């Protein structure tokens, strides 16, 4: 069995709005292996979020081939896409995107309720585990509006990992957080990576980017550099922080 | 500052002309329709009469077994009431009558009032010429006098001052004119001839007494309810003393306009409820539209709060918006309503052969203006306070922080749900109630009343008592009239009756030979329409013979006593036997009606008068006019030539027989029948307009709120899809939420609408299967509306890619 989790070939994404074509992504080819920790960086508007949306099946590419775990997912039904998002992918957003009508537990449980293979008790265990992992068990009954930004993002991480996805996609997870809270979230991601999770993270912040093992640089919808980060670099950053 | 807020509100409204026009229109509909409905009924039923002390003027009417259908009161009971009831003063009795006046242009029939002497004093009005009645005028055998109205004085006496030296021929007798009432004066009905009410003391027996309508003033500080309690005590006492005649007989007071409303209560309540609900619906919709606009500006509001704007300023600004919309819409609604009231009068006039009640003056009055202002102010508050409270009461800090995303917040969600639930409730109620009303009207107008009306003219004739004081003379007149009418080219056949099929007839109590009745009360005898008709007429009218024979020459003769009965009569009273050969008599004790009458034939059921419920199923008895002649006759003429030729001929024939004969109410048979159902058709058309407005308001309202709710939740939908919910799941979730709202609003709505519908169906005799069908249809309409209102916006929101939905603002 191959170790490749994600394989993109000649991916293009064009947005058509009011007769204006925006080439958000042009000709992206890359592979990501199981267990990798990849950071994606580049200037604003270069297509990072678009790439992440494609990876997460939140949107479809205009051209190109996308294989996820050796299955072609470029042309599958909407229902199948939803199922894959649910089972295989965990999202962490810059703006947390918790649902304010639901309390912390319910927010985390939400993606699990979309699965047919879990009963109430199993879901409860998974929610509790996730909450424990992000160290938020004491806030289970709170509503999002009663939590700080850092706490909300930790709940969002818990929600992303509760279903044991094969890949975690994070779009500027620390963008709305101060450095202390950002640090806590980054450490959580480190921990998840250490436990074997595949992580794909968009970030502006070079210090956060340094935590990954591989950095992809994008400019104008194209990959301009794709290189592994040295161990020293990483440890240096940790020391510096 | 207030001025600033006002200008700001104007600027906001003019920036969105579509929104402003829509909300104004909705408000105009709501306010216009409800003010119209209230004013309409107020004018007909609830208005104080425009006389000095008019507010304390009441009418005393009788009832039988709780039914108040315009029953008059036995003169003996009335005398007892006058002695015993302390809450009333200035008692006066009267009766309505039609009289024939020999006028310059020939005999004319006029409505008249036979009144006790204080009739004008009751309204605090003096004649402008001559005198009012004196108590001597009430004595039988006294000088015959008449008081006339101003307009009659003008038309018949050219307004001459010597009128008091003149006389009028009324019903073939000479009456001296003793007084002229002021211009426009009419009381207690639309009539201009007042004659003294003379009660023959020999007729004052319980069994067969004169009946009359009572008038009085309430004593100061006494309410109608108190008088009604007194009346029921008195009537109970009479009932105990005279169970034979008075079991079930009651009396009550109402305002004079209110007399007509007593038994129509279910309709009147329903219409008022519908009007209030429409107004509520309009207010909720506008309130919601304003609210969603306020929410769009939520960020702006939050910034203003952060900058230190006091809450009162924010509320004031939002109240201005609703003030402008409601006032603008209200004024448009008021104008349209005023126009509607103007056109109402000619429409309503077609319902009645006689002139309308004199207080039915449809138009804007102080009541409608006051009501309009009250409604306007309430709508301003309802539509303005909702968004003001919601959008300024929220946690502005949370709005600014924008901490959580997607969902719309608990409070807003709850409010939206409450809005949708009330819209569902209201529309369900309004729809069901209106549908039943329309269905009832449809059934009534389409009921077979038993006769053919094609190509037939009808006319009425009233025989002046003085010239036709014996049955023999009346019978002779009837025969002469029929033969002369048919002896012409213009009229193919002529039919004569006291009442034609479809028309109102008098109702009598009958006693079937060999049957046992409750001995203790006359009211236990069964009722039947009591019609006298010319032999041959039933067959010509197309009333089919079911059994036995029609009348023929062998039935001629005042000493004979044969009858036909309707099929319904035979079924009700002789369910097991053959009706032919059975005998009955009228439950009256005067000598001439004591004889038994033999049934010689059974004809198909005819409806006499109202097409609804009990009235429509009332069985009938027919006697030959040659045995029981009447003095008020209806003539039906099947035409062989043009209608105007026939009318000319009719006039000539009548004149030829007697110059004091007046024919009146000449019209087609169809028109005379349509008039009977016209009020029901009018009311149900009105209801249909309300229902239509209700449906449009509710459907657009429900759609608006749902679409809003769902679009506010676009981000939430995006999040859920990112987490793996597929489209089906999301759609199900929203539709399920919609169904939940449907149940919350719909079940009470079905109950409320069903309750009103049931009350009306009972009153109108609408079939229950039709009722159930209507309920199911209307429920389906509302259900479909809600489902469409959830499904379409959901589908819309799902059209976005999840990645776009996530960034939706
Ligand atoms: N739904 C859309 N419709 C049209 N154009 C879009 C859409 N989404 C993104 N774009 C365009 O595609 C390009 C890439 O956008 P994207 O959001 O991926 O940038 P980004 O690299 O994430 O930038 P940032 O660092 O500011 O978040 C931009 O030029 C953007 O304007
Ligand atoms: Mg981005």
């Amino acid at each position: 069995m191959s170790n490749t989790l994600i394989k993109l070939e000649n991916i293009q994404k064009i947005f058509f709005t009011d007769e204006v074509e925006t080439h958000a992504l042009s000709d992206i080819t890359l592979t990501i292996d199981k267990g990798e920790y990849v950071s994606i960086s580049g200037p604003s508007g270069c297509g990072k979020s678009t790439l992440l949306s494609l990876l997460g099946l939140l949107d479809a590419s205009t051209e190109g081939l996308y294989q996820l775990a050796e299955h072609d997912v470029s042309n599958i039904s909407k229902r199948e896409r939803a199922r894959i998002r649910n089972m295989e992918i965990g999202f962490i957003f810059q703006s947390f995107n918790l649902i304010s009508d639901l309390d912390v537990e319910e927010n985390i449980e939400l993606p699990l309720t979309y699965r047919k293979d879990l009963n109430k008790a199993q879901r409860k265990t998974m929610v509790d585990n996730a909450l424990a992992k992000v160290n938020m068990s004491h806030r289970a009954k709170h509503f999002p509006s009663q939590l700080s930004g850092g706490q909300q993002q930790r709940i969002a991480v818990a929600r992303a990992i509760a279903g044991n996805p094969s890949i975690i996609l994070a779009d500027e997870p620390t963008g709305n957080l101060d450095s202390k809270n950002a640090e806590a979230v980054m450490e959580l991601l480190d921990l998840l990576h250490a436990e074997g999770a595949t992580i794909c993270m968009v970030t502006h912040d070079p210090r956060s980017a340094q935590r990954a093992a591989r950095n992809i640089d994008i400019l104008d919808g194209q990959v301009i550099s794709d290189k592994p980060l040295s161990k020293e670099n990483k440890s240096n950053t940790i020391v510096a922080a | 500052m207030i001025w600033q807020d006002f200008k700001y509100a104007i600027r906001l409204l003019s920036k969105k002309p579509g929104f402003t026009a829509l909300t104004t229109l909705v408000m105009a509909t709501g306010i216009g329709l409800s003010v119209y409905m209230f004013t309409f009924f107020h004018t007909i039923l609830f208005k104080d009469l425009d006389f000095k002390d008019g507010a304390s003027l009441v009418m005393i009417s009788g009832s039988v077994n709780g039914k108040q259908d315009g029953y008059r009161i036995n003169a003996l009971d009335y005398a007892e009431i006058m002695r015993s009831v302390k809450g009333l003063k200035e008692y006066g009795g009267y009766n309505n009558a039609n009289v024939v006046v020999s006028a310059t242009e020939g005999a004319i029939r006029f409505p008249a009032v036979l009144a006790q002497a204080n009739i004008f004093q009751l309204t605090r009005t003096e004649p402008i010429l001559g005198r009012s009645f004196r108590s001597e005028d009430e004595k039988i055998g006294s000088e015959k006098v008449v008081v006339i109205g101003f307009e009659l004085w003008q038309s018949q006496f050219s307004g001459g001052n010597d009128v008091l030296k003149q006389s009028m021929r009324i019903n073939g007798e000479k009456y001296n004119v003793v007084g002229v009432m002021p211009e426009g004066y009419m009381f207690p009905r639309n009539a201009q001839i007042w004659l003294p009410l003379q009660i023959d003391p020999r007729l004052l027996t319980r069994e067969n007494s004169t009946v009359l309508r009572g008038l009085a003033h309430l004593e100061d500080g006494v309410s109608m309810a108190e008088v009604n309690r007194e009346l029921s005590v008195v009537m109970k006492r009479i009932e105990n003393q005279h169970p034979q005649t008075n079991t079930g007989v009651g009396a009550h007071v109402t305002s004079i306009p209110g007399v007509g409303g007593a038994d129509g209560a279910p309709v009147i309540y329903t219409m008022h409820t519908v009007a209030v609900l429409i107004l509520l619906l309009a207010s909720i919709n506008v309130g919601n539209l304003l609210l969603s606009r306020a929410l769009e500006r939520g960020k702006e509001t939050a910034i203003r709060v952060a900058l230190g704007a006091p809450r009162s300023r924010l509320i004031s600004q939002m109240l201005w918006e609703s003030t402008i919309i409601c006032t603008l819409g209200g004024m448009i609604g008021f104008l349209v309503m005023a126009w509607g009231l103007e056109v109402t009068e000619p429409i309503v006039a077609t319902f009645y052969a006689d002139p309308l009640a004199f207080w039915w003056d449809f138009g804007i009055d102080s009541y409608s203006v006051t009501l309009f202002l009250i409604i306007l102010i309430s709508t301003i508050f309802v539509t303005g306070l909702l968004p003001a409270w919601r959008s300024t009461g929220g946690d502005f800090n949370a709005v600014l922080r924008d901490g959580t995303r997607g969902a719309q917040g608990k409070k807003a969600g709850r409010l939206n749900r409450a809005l949708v639930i009330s819209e569902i409730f209201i529309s369900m109620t309004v729809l069901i109630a209106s549908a039943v009303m329309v269905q009832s009207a449809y059934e009534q107008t389409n009921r077979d009343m038993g006769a053919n009306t094609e190509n037939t003219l009808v006319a009425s004739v009233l025989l002046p008592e003085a010239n036709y004081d014996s049955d023999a003379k009346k019978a002779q007149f009837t025969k002469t009239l029929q033969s002369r009418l048919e002896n012409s080219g213009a009229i193919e056949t002529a039919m004569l009756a006291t009442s034609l099929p479809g028309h109102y007839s008098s109702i009598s109590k009958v006693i079937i030979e060999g049957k046992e009745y409750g001995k203790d009360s006359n009211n236990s005898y069964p009722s039947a329409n009591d019609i006298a008709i010319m032999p041959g007429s039933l067959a010509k009218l197309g009333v089919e013979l079911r059994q036995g024979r029609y009348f023929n020459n062998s039935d001629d003769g005042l000493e004979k006593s044969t009858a036909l009965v309707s099929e319904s009569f035979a079924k009700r009273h002789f369910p097991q036997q053959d009706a032919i050969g059975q005998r009955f008599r009228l439950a009256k004790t005067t000598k001439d009606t004591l004889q038994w009458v033999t049934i010689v034939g059974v004809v198909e059921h005819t409806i006499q008068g109202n097409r609804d419920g009990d009235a429509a199923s009332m069985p009938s008895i027919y006697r030959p006019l040659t045995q029981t002649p009447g003095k008020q006759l209806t003539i039906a003429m099947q035409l062989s030539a043009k209608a105007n030729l026939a009318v000319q001929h009719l006039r000539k024939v009548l004149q030829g027989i007697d110059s004091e004969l007046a024919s009146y109410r000449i019209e087609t048979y169809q028109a005379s029948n349509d008039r009977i159902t016209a009020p029901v058709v009018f009311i149900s058309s009105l209801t249909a307009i309300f229902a239509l407005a209700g449906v449009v308001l509710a459907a657009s309202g429900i759609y608006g709120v749902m679409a809003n709710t769902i679009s506010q939740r676009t981000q939430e939908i995006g999040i859920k899809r990112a987490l793996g919910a597929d489209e089906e799941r999301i759609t199900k979730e929203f539709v399920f939420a919609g169904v939940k709202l449907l149940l919350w609003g719909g079940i009470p709505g079905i109950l409320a609408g069903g309750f009103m519908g049931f009350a009306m169906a009972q009153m109108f005799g609408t079939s229950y299967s039709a009722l159930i069908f209507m309920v199911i249809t209307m429920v389906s309409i509302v259900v479909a509306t809600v489902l469409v209102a959830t499904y379409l916006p959901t589908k819309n929101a799902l059209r976005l890619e999840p990645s776009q939905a996530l960034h939706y603002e």
Side-chain angles (χ1 to χ4, degrees):
Chain A
M1 206 175 109
S2 154
N3 212 26
T4 307
L5 184 61
I6 288 173
K7 183 170 177 195
L8 299 181
E9 268 175 30
N10 309 110
I11 289 287
Q12 284 191 35
K13 178 69 187 176
I14 306 172
F15 291 109
F16 301 93
T17 34
D18 303 330
E19 294 169 31
V20 181
E21 286 186 18
T22 311
H23 289 256
L25 296 175
S26 39
D27 202 25
I28 300 256
T29 300
L30 56 83
T31 56
I32 296 172
D33 287 341
K34 280 195 187 115
E36 266 198 286
Y37 189 171
V38 181
S39 76
I40 301 172
S41 50
S44 180
C46 68
K48 305 182 294 292
S49 295
T50 306
L51 177 60
L52 215 63
S53 290
L54 293 186
L55 289 179
L57 296 176
L58 290 177
D59 209 343
S61 62
T62 318
E63 283 290 330
L65 176 81
Y66 178 11
Q67 277 187 351
L68 183 62
E70 297 185 326
H71 295 287
D72 183 0
V73 294
S74 326
N75 290 309
I76 56 175
S77 71
K78 286 187 164 184
R79 177 194 287 252
E80 186 61 15
R81 293 161 74 88
R83 197 194 65 77
I84 293 173
R85 285 198 295 271
N86 184 234
M87 304 287 286
E88 309 293 342
I89 298 166
F91 285 102
I92 303 170
F93 302 98
Q94 175 174 359
S95 50
F96 324 144
N97 278 344
L98 297 176
I99 290 172
S100 56
D101 286 349
L102 304 178
D103 67 19
V104 161
E105 261 182 352
E106 290 164 334
N107 260 294
I108 297 172
E109 193 186 6
L110 189 61
L112 305 180
T113 61
Y114 298 146
R115 292 167 58 163
K116 297 195 173 65
D117 56 340
L118 299 174
N119 63 29
K120 181 86 195 154
Q122 287 169 312
R123 293 204 300 267
K124 172 87 176 117
T125 323
M126 291 166 82
V127 169
D128 287 345
N129 288 344
L131 266 176
K133 211 169 264 175
V134 300
N135 223 342
M136 287 292 292
S137 305
H138 57 300
R139 290 284 190 263
K141 293 292 176 200
H142 281 58
F143 282 91
S145 56
Q146 298 164 326
L147 300 176
S148 74
Q151 287 172 328
Q152 288 189 46
Q153 192 60 306
R154 271 147 72 188
I155 301 302
V157 172
R159 182 175 66 183
I161 61 172
N164 297 319
S166 41
I167 179 164
I168 292 171
L169 300 175
D171 194 348
E172 307 203 23
T174 58
N176 279 1
L177 300 177
D178 62 26
S179 56
K180 190 163 158 277
N181 276 314
E183 185 62 25
V185 169
M186 291 315 295
E187 266 165 24
L188 254 175
L189 290 181
D190 278 347
L191 186 73
L192 292 172
H193 178 230
E195 284 173 9
T198 312
I199 300 177
C200 218
M201 173 181 70
V202 168
T203 182
H204 269 317
D205 176 14
R207 277 203 285 169
S208 302
Q210 294 300 317
R211 290 178 173 261
R214 170 182 169 195
N215 185 43
I216 298 175
D217 244 324
I218 297 186
L219 185 65
D220 289 339
Q222 278 176 311
V223 178
I224 53 164
S225 95
D226 183 350
K227 57 173 191 283
L229 292 167
S230 60
K231 281 266 185 254
E232 313 89 79
N233 267 350
K234 271 181 85 178
S235 45
N236 279 351
T237 335
I238 293 167
V239 172
Chain B
M1 274 214 299
I2 287 186
W3 176 239
Q4 252 180 12
D5 291 337
F6 176 74
K7 278 200 303 197
Y8 184 67
I10 291 273
R11 201 163 69 221
L12 286 177
L13 289 174
S14 51
K15 257 200 268 175
K16 290 221 171 164
F19 170 87
T20 311
L22 176 73
T23 45
T24 306
L25 200 70
V26 168
M27 238 32 251
T29 310
I31 294 179
L33 283 179
S34 55
V35 175
Y36 175 86
M37 189 67 98
F38 273 84
T39 308
F40 177 78
F41 281 111
H42 181 258
T43 304
I44 292 184
L45 296 173
F46 304 120
K47 203 150 133 173
D48 283 336
L49 296 181
D50 192 17
F51 299 116
K52 185 166 183 288
D53 299 335
S56 66
L57 205 50
V58 294
M59 186 168 221
I60 310 160
S61 328
S63 63
V64 175
N65 297 326
K67 205 163 154 51
Q68 307 188 342
D69 225 359
Y71 284 99
R72 292 180 288 169
I73 288 192
N74 179 316
L76 287 171
D77 292 349
Y78 190 57
E80 184 63 36
I81 289 170
M82 286 170 68
R83 272 194 296 278
S84 313
V85 174
K86 298 283 174 283
L88 295 174
K89 59 185 181 193
E90 300 183 62
Y91 289 92
Y94 80 98
N95 271 319
N96 293 333
N98 289 319
V99 294
V100 178
V101 173
S102 310
T104 41
E105 61 268 42
I108 305 179
R109 170 193 162 272
F110 280 104
V113 176
L114 309 179
Q116 286 182 332
N118 68 339
I119 186 79
F120 305 122
Q121 174 54 31
L122 279 168
T123 60
R124 318 289 186 241
T125 313
E126 291 291 325
I128 53 166
L129 279 180
R131 62 170 178 90
S132 44
F133 293 129
R134 302 183 183 131
S135 48
E136 304 92 89
D137 298 331
E138 292 183 19
K139 295 216 179 70
I140 289 187
S142 59
E143 180 202 0
K144 291 197 185 316
V145 294
V146 58
V147 174
I148 60 172
F150 185 90
E151 287 73 20
L152 195 70
W153 175 44
Q154 295 297 318
S155 65
Q156 294 295 319
F157 299 94
S158 322
N161 276 326
D162 58 348
V163 62
L164 296 179
K165 298 195 187 82
Q166 306 218 18
S167 63
M168 290 171 82
R169 269 189 83 77
I170 298 173
N171 288 345
E173 289 187 277
K174 194 173 142 244
Y175 282 74
N176 292 325
V177 179
V178 295
V180 177
M181 294 308 289
E183 191 170 354
Y185 181 85
M186 280 179 276
F187 183 79
R189 67 187 291 219
N190 202 332
Q192 295 244 309
I193 293 177
W194 291 267
L195 302 169
L197 177 65
Q198 300 179 332
I199 297 173
D200 187 344
R202 285 167 304 170
L203 288 183
L204 283 182
T205 63
R206 283 223 157 261
E207 284 70 24
N208 222 8
S209 167
T210 308
V211 289
L212 47 74
R213 297 165 202 268
L215 293 170
H217 275 284
L218 294 169
E219 286 283 1
D220 290 344
V222 176
S223 73
M224 284 201 248
E226 288 168 87
V227 172
N228 279 332
R229 276 195 293 277
E230 263 194 278
L231 277 170
S232 60
V233 173
V234 173
M235 293 310 288
K236 195 79 213 162
R237 196 173 70 218
I238 301 177
E239 181 172 332
N240 290 337
Q241 288 161 358
H242 306 283
Q244 182 69 31
T245 51
N246 277 63
T247 299
V249 174
H252 59 275
V253 292
T254 55
S255 70
I256 294 175
V259 171
D263 286 325
V267 176
I268 294 160
Y269 287 138
T270 302
M271 299 293 278
H272 280 103
T273 312
V274 167
V276 171
L277 291 181
I278 293 283
L279 183 64
L280 205 61
L281 211 51
S283 306
I284 289 177
N285 281 350
V286 171
N288 179 55
L289 286 168
L290 284 171
L291 171 63
S292 58
R293 282 242 307 173
L295 289 180
E296 279 171 28
R297 295 201 307 267
K299 203 89 173 203
E300 177 212 301
T301 309
I303 293 167
R304 280 153 67 93
V305 173
L307 294 177
R311 196 165 170 201
S312 58
R313 279 295 298 280
L314 296 171
I315 292 179
S316 137
Q317 178 213 315
M318 272 178 226
L319 271 180
W320 268 123
E321 261 184 280
S322 58
T323 306
I324 293 166
I325 287 170
C326 290
T327 311
L328 211 62
M331 283 191 322
I332 294 172
F334 192 77
L335 288 180
V336 175
M337 180 220 61
W339 171 80
L341 283 173
E342 288 304 316
V343 301
T344 299
E345 190 148 338
I347 294 174
V348 172
T350 64
F351 305 168
Y352 301 91
D354 288 322
L356 296 181
F358 64 89
W359 63 87
W360 287 12
D361 182 11
F362 295 98
I364 294 169
D365 51 14
S366 62
Y367 171 83
S368 50
V369 172
T370 315
L371 182 75
F372 168 69
L373 291 176
I374 292 172
I375 286 182
L376 182 61
I377 291 167
S378 347
T379 48
I380 288 174
F381 276 92
V382 171
T383 54
L385 282 183
L386 188 72
W389 164 76
R390 242 299 291 160
S391 65
T392 63
D395 180 0
F396 73 93
N397 192 24
V399 179
L400 281 180
R401 259 191 355 211
D402 198 15
T404 55
R405 309 204 55 163
Q408 35 164 196
K410 266 194 154 39
K411 255 195 199 162
R414 222 177 297 145
L415 182 68
N416 278 350
R417 281 194 293 277
L419 285 177
V420 173
I421 287 174
S422 24
E423 302 231 11
I424 292 172
F425 169 75
I426 294 172
S427 53
M428 202 78 107
T429 310
V430 169
L431 270 182
I432 292 177
S434 320
V436 173
M437 188 89 112
V438 171
Q439 166 71 19
S440 301
Y442 177 80
E443 282 188 18
Q444 286 187 46
T445 46
N446 285 287
R447 244 168 229 157
D448 176 19
M449 48 89 187
N452 296 329
T453 57
E454 272 148 50
N455 196 33
T456 304
L457 269 191
V458 297
S460 295
V461 60
L462 181 65
L463 306 186
E465 191 63 43
N467 305 5
Y468 299 90
D469 51 1
S470 74
D471 280 352
K473 284 185 192 167
K474 287 181 205 153
Q476 187 51 49
F477 164 78
T478 321
K479 285 184 198 160
T480 315
L481 178 61
Q482 177 160 31
S483 70
R484 289 204 194 171
L485 282 176
E486 288 187 344
N487 263 332
S488 90
I491 297 166
E492 198 165 287
T493 51
M495 296 144 276
L496 289 175
T498 52
S499 160
L500 292 172
H503 292 184
Y504 290 95
S505 82
S506 58
I507 292 172
S508 296
K509 300 268 181 207
V510 295
I511 300 172
I512 313 277
E513 189 180 30
K515 290 255 165 94
E516 290 284 325
Y517 296 97
K519 290 241 162 26
D520 45 336
S521 164
N522 289 353
N523 287 326
S524 58
Y525 296 130
S527 303
N529 297 309
D530 185 1
I531 300 161
I533 192 160
M534 211 52 186
S537 291
L538 280 172
K540 293 183 211 160
L541 284 165
V543 180
E544 287 168 21
L545 186 68
R546 296 280 191 251
Q547 217 190 333
R549 62 171 179 85
Y550 282 125
F551 293 131
N552 57 33
N553 289 339
S554 73
D555 297 302
D556 273 16
L558 293 170
E559 73 292 349
K560 299 196 171 150
S561 47
T562 51
L564 297 175
V565 297
S566 65
E567 212 171 5
S568 47
F569 187 93
K571 272 206 192 103
R572 185 170 306 181
H573 298 297
F574 311 107
Q576 315 291 348
Q577 309 129 274
D578 191 355
I580 307 293
Q582 303 284 351
R583 303 205 304 169
F584 67 86
R585 67 177 177 84
L586 300 186
K588 289 178 185 164
T589 47
T590 44
K591 220 174 75 211
D592 51 324
T593 55
L594 260 176
Q595 60 188 341
W596 291 101
V597 181
T598 309
I599 298 171
V600 298
V602 178
V603 295
E604 76 177 285
H605 177 71
T606 60
I607 296 178
Q608 306 294 148
N610 290 342
R611 293 346 188 215
D612 59 332
D614 293 346
S617 54
M618 174 77 74
S620 303
I621 56 174
Y622 310 87
R623 301 290 315 279
L625 263 175
T626 49
Q627 290 175 15
T628 55
K631 74 168 191 174
Q632 185 149 6
L633 298 174
T634 307
I635 310 162
M637 296 164 285
Q638 274 160 4
L639 304 180
S640 52
K642 285 217 179 83
N644 54 348
L645 260 170
V647 172
Q648 271 174 26
H649 184 69
L650 169 68
R651 292 227 165 94
K652 229 170 53 211
V653 167
L654 285 174
Q655 285 293 303
I657 300 175
D658 183 340
S659 67
E660 289 188 333
L661 282 177
S663 66
Y664 57 95
R665 244 182 247 173
I666 303 170
E667 57 192 340
T668 65
Y669 194 4
Q670 186 61 47
S672 70
N673 274 312
D674 287 347
R675 190 168 51 232
I676 291 169
T677 51
V680 182
V681 171
F682 175 72
I683 295 279
S684 69
S685 320
L686 211 57
T687 320
I689 293 175
F690 271 69
L692 204 66
V695 173
V696 173
L697 287 182
S700 59
I702 291 172
Y703 190 88
V705 179
M706 286 307 230
N708 234 326
T709 306
I710 291 169
S711 112
Q712 277 168 27
R713 294 173 67 172
T714 304
Q715 278 198 337
E716 182 188 333
I717 293 174
I719 297 172
K720 287 183 173 169
R721 290 177 75 188
L723 298 178
D726 56 21
E727 298 188 6
E728 200 182 313
R729 167 113 199 173
I730 303 270
T731 311
K732 255 196 221 153
E733 218 173 87
F734 279 102
V735 170
F736 182 72
V739 168
K740 225 162 89 183
L741 298 180
L742 253 178
L743 294 179
W744 276 103
I747 289 176
I750 292 173
L751 291 178
F755 176 76
M756 286 193 282
F758 184 75
M760 280 189 299
Q762 266 199 327
M763 180 181 152
F764 289 133
T766 310
S767 55
Y768 289 126
S769 54
L771 176 69
I772 290 168
F773 174 76
M774 279 296 162
V775 171
I776 291 175
T777 312
M778 297 305 132
V779 169
S780 319
I781 290 178
V782 177
V783 168
T785 308
V786 174
L787 291 184
V788 168
T790 28
Y791 185 74
L792 286 187
T794 309
K795 204 82 211 147
N796 230 352
L798 285 172
R799 204 167 295 145
L800 291 178
E801 289 287 346
S803 62
Q804 289 170 303
L806 278 170
H807 294 108
Y808 187 84
E809 286 294 337

